[in-house]
Amino acid sequence: MIDRSLLREDPEAVREALDNRGADVDLDELIEIDEHWRELKARGDELRHERNQVTERIGSLVAKGKQDEKDEAIEESKELKAEIEDVEAEATELGDELRERMLEVPQIPDESVPLGLDERHNVEDRRWGFDDLRVDADEITPHYELGEELDIIDEERGAKTTGSGFYFLKGDGARLEHALIQFMMDIHREQGYVDLFPPVPVTSKSMRGTGQLPKFADDAYRLGGSNDEEYEDDDLWLCPTAEVPVTNMYADEILLTDDLPLKHQAYTPNFRREAGEHGTETRGIVRVHQFNKVELVNFVEPEDSYDRLESLLDEAEEVLRQLELPYRILELCTGDLTFASAKTYDIEVWAPGDDMDDGPEEGGRWLEVSSASNFEDFQARRAGLRYRPERHESAEYLHTLNASGLALPRVMVAILEYHQNEDGTVTIPEALQPYMGGQEVIEGHEKVGESALGAGEQE
RNA sequence: GCCAGGAUGGCCGAACGGUAAGGCGCACGCCUGGAAAGCGUGUUCCCUUUGGGAUUCUGGGUUCAAAUCCCAGUCCUGGCGCCA
């Protein structure tokens, strides 16, 4: 949530920022509601002040036993009460509407964010690992074909048990998934992160705290209710990213500077509806309804947040460097920022298996495996995340940041494609081998369960 | 799931329906040669800030007036039950 006082003091700055985002917000109406609300609030406070004085008088009249004066004062108080009710009913209604609308106003981009309408205007900062590529993209089998050949990814049966967009990992595929999670978390623990294993369902209140609600209800899976129906604060949703439980973990709390910076990492499965996202660009496991992810969440003092963003990006990149996977860093433009973010870097790994138009000249394509974002105090305001700058001072909103560290399926895609060998096997990156019990190559295995489908080989 | 008890500031903890005690921590000031002690101030939110309003878990209700009484809910603790 943006600061209301900014809206009052410098509405034009807010307007410009929202225009740069391409956000559709009726600012004038918002300002008008705010002004009207303040008038009513002032009037209500005044009336309450009067009544408080009368009530106080009644107390002393009762003590003195002045019956007549007391009855008179009670009459006066009753009249004030009725008036207060009228004024405050209107003020509450407006206040609620204001709050609701404020929840739909996106974050103001940082000044350093490049101007632009959409992803075409994102700026590529740099690339890593392209100097000495180990493969030629033309000769790479896409992960969904390879996964089937090696019998490590089973999309069909995932669709059978659960639905399209869900898949089984089998054998070395499943083992690779577990290995990657442990591997990533070990890296980040070295970087000073404290592990968390959060609850997977989260409340509407939490979803609102990080910015998924109210605008993006359709992206998430709701438990026990239709997405179209009204929801309550306590209703549950399946975690769309560990950012939600972890950021909201300290909701309505006040931290001390000694606690900051606070760095948490959490592995969770993530669930997203991804409505309408089907086609050649999403074949295989690059866009699925359930995927695992290690998430990095930072709570910092405001003046540190932009330095922290650079470090956070580096902490996420470290995973790809150790996996020897080529990648690039994008700086998202104003129009491509997510709702809550003031500045975002994307990390895109190179997946050479499918040649796409917007991929690099070497062929293949880019896959987003992490977004590192500074939300400044946007989530802190919504979730009530504060800290005390000095022990004796009053509490202020802190800044939150997060980055994936990293999204598992796409990293797996990159490994299966970039570390693929000519004979159709996959070399496990050296740093990951200890997590696979020393195994160096994924060779696939005899098909499991094929006989049940009538395709089994007879001995 | 059932029964009982509980929720008050950063922390602890009082309050016959009538101004929300007191203590601790922390910071600053006074005092001091310096410190401790002592004294003072501050340590939620909102508004139009020399002022006012709200705030005793949340939401309703009774009342001129609710931390206090009533109803509903959330969470915590204990006991019983169930359970991987």
Side-chain angles (χ1 to χ4, degrees):
Chain A
M1 201 151 50
I2 66 168
D3 187 353
R4 266 193 216 176
S5 57
L6 182 66
L7 193 65
R8 287 166 197 160
E9 286 158 20
D10 198 354
E12 289 319 306
V14 177
R15 193 185 310 277
E16 190 189 338
L18 297 183
D19 284 348
N20 288 340
R21 267 184 173 271
D24 181 26
V25 173
D26 191 337
L27 212 57
D28 292 322
E29 199 173 20
L30 202 60
I31 291 168
E32 199 184 302
I33 294 172
D34 181 52
E35 275 173 13
H36 194 184
W37 171 77
R38 280 188 292 167
E39 282 170 23
L40 288 166
K41 163 101 166 85
R43 176 81 186 122
D45 283 358
E46 210 175 291
L47 289 168
R48 270 188 184 267
H49 178 49
E50 280 181 47
R51 191 185 63 162
N52 285 344
Q53 288 179 323
V54 173
T55 300
E56 212 171 313
R57 207 166 75 225
I58 294 172
S60 65
L61 290 172
V62 168
K64 290 175 193 161
K66 295 186 177 173
Q67 191 66 32
D68 292 350
E69 284 181 55
K70 189 199 78 177
D71 290 345
E72 207 173 299
I74 287 177
E75 269 316 302
E76 193 182 341
S77 178
K78 277 183 178 170
E79 281 166 28
L80 281 169
K81 189 190 179 184
E83 205 175 339
I84 288 169
E85 267 170 19
D86 286 349
V87 173
E88 290 196 342
E90 202 182 340
T92 303
E93 200 177 314
L94 268 186
D96 288 350
E97 191 183 343
L98 184 62
R99 204 168 309 117
E100 240 164 79
R101 284 181 184 237
M102 285 298 285
L103 285 172
E104 302 204 8
V105 177
Q107 170 67 307
I108 291 168
D110 182 61
E111 285 174 3
S112 69
V113 173
L115 289 177
L117 294 172
D118 54 44
E119 67 271 8
R120 290 168 306 172
H121 303 114
N122 293 342
V123 175
E124 183 176 312
D125 278 6
R126 58 198 154 84
R127 292 185 187 187
W128 182 91
F130 280 87
D131 293 342
D132 187 21
L133 295 174
R134 73 183 291 278
V135 293
D136 179 350
D138 295 339
E139 294 164 11
I140 296 298
T141 306
H143 74 280
Y144 40 88
E145 286 173 22
L146 186 73
E148 206 171 316
E149 281 167 26
L150 298 174
D151 198 31
I152 57 174
I153 301 174
D154 191 338
E155 292 187 77
E156 255 179 70
R157 287 187 172 108
K160 180 167 63 181
T161 61
T162 309
S164 95
F166 294 89
Y167 61 101
F168 280 89
L169 291 172
K170 288 167 36 180
D172 281 347
R175 191 175 190 188
L176 182 59
E177 183 89 0
H178 290 296
L180 280 167
I181 293 168
Q182 295 307 324
F183 169 70
M184 289 176 186
M185 295 194 80
D186 281 355
I187 290 175
H188 300 313
R189 204 173 299 115
E190 284 290 310
Q191 295 165 342
Y193 281 86
V194 177
D195 292 47
L196 292 175
F197 206 148
V200 173
V202 288
T203 60
S204 309
K205 187 172 185 283
S206 295
M207 292 279 279
R208 192 182 313 118
T210 28
Q212 281 75 19
L213 292 180
K215 283 199 80 173
F216 308 100
D218 289 344
D219 296 341
Y221 285 96
R222 183 172 171 194
L223 294 178
S226 151
N227 286 47
D228 304 326
E229 290 167 32
E230 297 268 313
Y231 49 82
E232 306 286 328
D233 275 7
D234 296 333
D235 289 344
L236 293 175
W237 306 70
L238 277 181
C239 174
T241 157
E243 165 191 352
V244 180
V246 175
T247 306
N248 284 286
M249 189 177 170
Y250 300 101
D252 302 318
E253 290 189 33
I254 298 172
L255 303 175
L256 296 176
T257 42
D258 296 348
D259 301 317
L260 306 177
L262 182 55
K263 296 163 72 176
H264 277 308
Q265 64 166 332
Y267 148 76
T268 63
N270 300 269
F271 300 88
R272 300 184 184 180
R273 298 189 82 95
E274 305 288 5
E277 301 276 0
H278 298 289
T280 52
E281 297 204 359
T282 60
R283 277 196 72 180
I285 61 172
V286 303
R287 189 178 294 278
V288 287
H289 295 309
Q290 176 189 341
F291 64 97
N292 291 323
K293 178 159 64 63
V294 172
E295 185 74 6
L296 308 175
V297 179
N298 291 186
F299 303 82
V300 304
E301 294 184 61
E303 57 267 32
D304 296 339
S305 68
Y306 278 95
D307 285 343
R308 188 86 275 280
L309 178 62
E310 300 299 321
S311 307
L312 176 61
L313 177 64
D314 186 65
E315 288 162 353
E317 282 177 57
E318 179 62 18
V319 175
L320 293 181
R321 289 193 293 256
Q322 290 203 25
L323 290 173
E324 303 163 55
L325 292 170
Y327 65 89
R328 68 169 177 172
I329 302 299
L330 289 183
E331 208 167 317
L332 296 197
C333 72
T334 49
D336 203 28
L337 286 178
T338 54
F339 183 69
S341 175
K343 187 180 176 75
T344 297
Y345 293 107
D346 272 7
I347 303 175
E348 296 189 336
V349 73
W350 186 49
D354 267 312
D355 196 33
M356 299 274 173
D357 292 343
D358 52 3
E361 43 283 6
E362 290 86 350
R365 62 155 144 182
W366 300 112
L367 287 179
E368 181 192 329
V369 289
S370 181
S371 281
S373 300
N374 184 359
F375 304 102
E376 299 184 355
D377 62 4
F378 190 83
Q379 295 181 325
R381 278 176 193 285
R382 296 167 79 103
L385 301 163
R386 292 181 297 164
Y387 80 111
R388 209 173 284 287
E390 296 293 337
R391 296 185 80 98
H392 58 102
E393 286 182 9
S394 58
E396 285 178 21
Y397 292 112
L398 46 72
H399 281 194
T400 59
L401 304 94
N402 69 46
S404 319
L406 303 162
L408 270 290
R410 292 178 181 178
V411 171
M412 186 173 296
V413 169
I415 290 174
L416 295 180
E417 296 184 355
Y418 182 69
H419 287 296
Q420 194 176 111
N421 301 312
E422 284 177 24
D423 61 358
T425 63
V426 175
T427 298
I428 297 170
E430 213 176 305
L432 194 59
Q433 288 172 11
Y435 297 84
M436 296 283 286
Q439 190 176 330
E440 292 170 16
V441 179
I442 294 174
E443 294 173 315
H445 46 75
E446 293 297 312
K447 305 250 171 174
V448 174
E450 290 295 302
S451 57
L453 296 179
E457 287 177 30
Q458 300 294 319
E459 282 183 18

